[in-house]
């Protein structure tokens, strides 16, 4: 099937078999290799991307379901060689080790902060419960997300203060 959708704001056209997962389409057909495939059952969270702003397990989504939708991958978080706030905080707080699970965690965290900009640390932990990381404890990850939340919240307050 021929499908068209946007990945990180760019229109893509690809021909896929109806049973091809979005994860495989992103990685193998479109070369967005930041989307990692771990368990292929939706349990580990490594394949998490955003579809229309919502975090989804791309191993469980068929590529054809992306037709006319907006898909965001970890490659879309940074812009013009500048890391996003969440990426900077992961780096500053040593919230990653091998990096295999990190793209999926980043995408879930970004989706959370987009929809719940004041998410509590408990809410952050709840969202992280859908991710398996075998290399590091989750404390630096929670810290990084909370610091990104605080940074983004402060930037938003500053932006509104300037407009007034």
């Amino acid at each position: 099937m021929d499908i068209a959708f946007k990945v990180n704001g760019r229109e893509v056209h690809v021909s896929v078999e109806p049973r091809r997962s979005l994860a495989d389409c992103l990685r193998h057909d479109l070369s967005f290799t930041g989307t990692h495939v771990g368990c292929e059952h939706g349990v580990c969270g490594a394949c998490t991307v955003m579809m229309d702003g919502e975090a989804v397990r791309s191993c469980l989504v068929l590529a054809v379901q992306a037709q006319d939708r907006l898909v965001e991958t970890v490659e879309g978080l940074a812009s013009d060689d500048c890391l996003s706030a969440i990426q900077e905080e992961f780096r500053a707080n040593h919230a990653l080790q091998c990096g295999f699970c990190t793209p999926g965690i980043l995408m879930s965290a970004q989706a959370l902060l987009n929809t719940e900009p004041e998410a509590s640390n408990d809410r952050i932990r709840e969202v992280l419960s859908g991710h398996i990381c075998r290399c590091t404890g989750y404390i630096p990850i929670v810290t990084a997300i909370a610091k990104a939340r605080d940074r983004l919240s402060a930037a938003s307050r500053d932006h509104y203060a300037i407009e007034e």
Side-chain angles (χ1 to χ4, degrees):
M1 296 182 68
D2 293 331
I3 59 172
F5 58 101
K6 285 188 178 180
V7 179
N8 303 327
R10 188 187 78 182
E11 183 84 18
V12 296
H13 299 268
V14 64
S15 184
V16 295
E17 293 205 21
R19 66 178 180 262
R20 190 155 183 82
S21 73
L22 179 58
D24 285 341
C25 176
L26 289 169
R27 286 186 59 78
H28 303 296
D29 300 329
L30 300 172
S31 298
F32 289 100
T33 57
T35 302
H36 295 159
V37 179
C39 68
E40 296 187 71
H41 296 288
V43 176
C44 73
C47 68
T48 303
V49 298
M50 287 192 285
M51 184 180 290
D52 295 334
E54 182 180 331
V56 298
R57 306 304 170 117
S58 63
C59 73
L60 299 179
V61 174
L62 296 174
V64 296
Q65 292 175 281
Q67 176 69 37
D68 299 325
R69 315 265 309 261
L70 173 60
V71 174
E72 296 170 77
T73 69
V74 71
E75 290 92 344
L77 288 180
S79 62
D80 299 326
D81 297 328
C82 293
L83 296 177
S84 68
I86 192 85
Q87 290 171 310
E88 286 179 354
E89 292 300 339
F90 264 61
R91 185 170 143 186
N93 290 281
H94 310 287
L96 60 108
Q97 286 187 11
C98 85
F100 189 82
C101 66
T102 306
I105 292 173
L106 286 168
M107 297 312 292
S108 287
Q110 188 65 59
L112 172 66
L113 296 180
N114 288 348
T115 59
E116 299 178 41
E118 301 296 326
S120 69
N121 286 7
D122 285 340
R123 179 69 175 124
I124 292 168
R125 285 184 194 90
E126 181 182 339
V127 168
L128 288 176
S129 71
H131 290 272
I132 298 172
C133 175
R134 292 188 168 117
C135 293
T136 188
Y138 289 87
I139 293 171
I141 296 171
V142 172
T143 299
I145 297 169
K147 286 186 176 186
R149 172 202 61 209
D150 296 345
R151 257 178 78 182
L152 294 169
S153 181
S156 178
R157 282 192 305 272
D158 292 346
H159 174 74
Y160 289 119
I162 291 170
E163 287 183 349
E164 294 173 358

